[in-house]
Amino acid sequence: MNDDLFSLAGRVAVVSGAAQGLGQATALALAQHGADLVLLDRNLAGAEATGERIRAIGRRTLVAGTDVSDPLAIAELFRQVDTAFGRIDFLGNIAGDGHLSKPEDLTIADLHRVLQNLVVGRFAMCQEAGKRMLAQGRGSIMNIGSLASSTALGRGHIAYSMAMGAVLQMTRELSTEWSYRGVRVNCVTPAQVVNPSLEARMATDPTLEGRFLKGIPAGRLGQPKDIMGLAVFLASDSSEWITGAIIPMDGGNMAMNAGGTPGHEQRTVQSFRAESK
């Protein structure tokens, strides 16, 4: 295969949530394939640490602690991008906070905050990046959604699921409006990916990981590195006819019927039966 298909040399990518997890993995993968990076995270020290790793391989970086729920802050950030790089070729729209609450207890203020974080802020990021990409006649946006974009999780995810459903439809609408003008927009929908927040939840509830794995035929939780190849693919010319796609990154979770039994779970049952004879 021609390696140029995956080359990002001379391109500029903006990645939110770059201090850790999916954002950091995305940024590192893009840099390894030649891109210069704009790294956003409220954890500025963490984003700077990611930036140091990227500069060590010879790529340029701009690091900012931009609040990606604030459209005014986002607009200012993109003015900085204009000054520093003069272009943007890829947006990894990753950062954003949810909120867990039973539906009957969810306050309207908390609902507004989640929608601001995950819908309004993400749209503002798409809009600012999109304007510049449209002027260039090319560009690619990768929104990060969730299983909750298209199926219910329960467990207090009502606000998060409502917001992630909007991210999915935003992706489809932007792709429909912009693709003929050279700007591709896709959405990646992960299942449970290990990060500090999830690790803390699993430490509090030792049964949680097992419950998650019952819905994942691949037999393991996601890791941040699982986004790396997909991000490079979507940022590069190798995906130039891929747009408006909703791409699961979930170990087979969405493919399995809710009443299905993953292979690793079935093996456990078969083993139990054999041992019982």
Side-chain angles (χ1 to χ4, degrees), residues 190-247:
Q192 292 82 11
V193 175
V194 175
N195 59 33
S197 174
L198 182 57
E199 288 176 333
R201 289 175 59 200
M202 290 191 297
T204 301
D205 181 356
T207 70
L208 190 59
E209 181 176 5
R211 298 207 307 272
F212 288 155
L213 290 176
K214 287 182 178 180
I216 301 177
R220 68 167 177 87
L221 300 182
Q223 296 291 331
K225 65 180 178 61
D226 291 321
I227 194 74
M228 297 178 84
L230 189 51
V232 171
F233 172 67
L234 291 175
S236 70
D237 291 344
S238 56
S239 60
E240 65 180 356
W241 212 48
I242 309 297
T243 186
I246 311 304
I247 305 171

Side-chain angles (χ1 to χ4, degrees), residues 3-15 25-38 53-61 85 87 89-90 228 231-233 235-237:
D3 288 341
D4 288 345
L5 273 177
F6 299 97
S7 173
L8 301 175
R11 300 190 188 182
V12 175
V14 175
V15 178
T26 293
L28 292 172
L30 299 176
Q32 288 162 8
H33 284 75
D36 295 323
L37 270 298
V38 180
R53 294 174 65 180
I54 290 171
R55 287 189 284 271
I57 60 175
R59 310 293 177 234
R60 297 170 60 201
T61 65
F85 294 105
R87 64 181 298 117
D89 301 283
F90 179 75
M228 297 178 84
V232 171
F233 172 67
S236 70
D237 291 344

Side-chain angles (χ1 to χ4, degrees), residues 65-80:
T66 304
D67 179 354
V68 294
S69 71
D70 180 353
L72 293 178
I74 291 168
E76 172 56 29
L77 178 279
F78 276 91
R79 286 191 287 270
Q80 295 178 39

Side-chain angles (χ1 to χ4, degrees), residues 40-58:
L40 312 181
D41 206 292
R42 290 178 307 183
N43 176 3
L44 190 56
E48 287 284 6
T50 303
E52 286 299 320
R53 294 174 65 180
I54 290 171
R55 287 189 284 271
I57 60 175

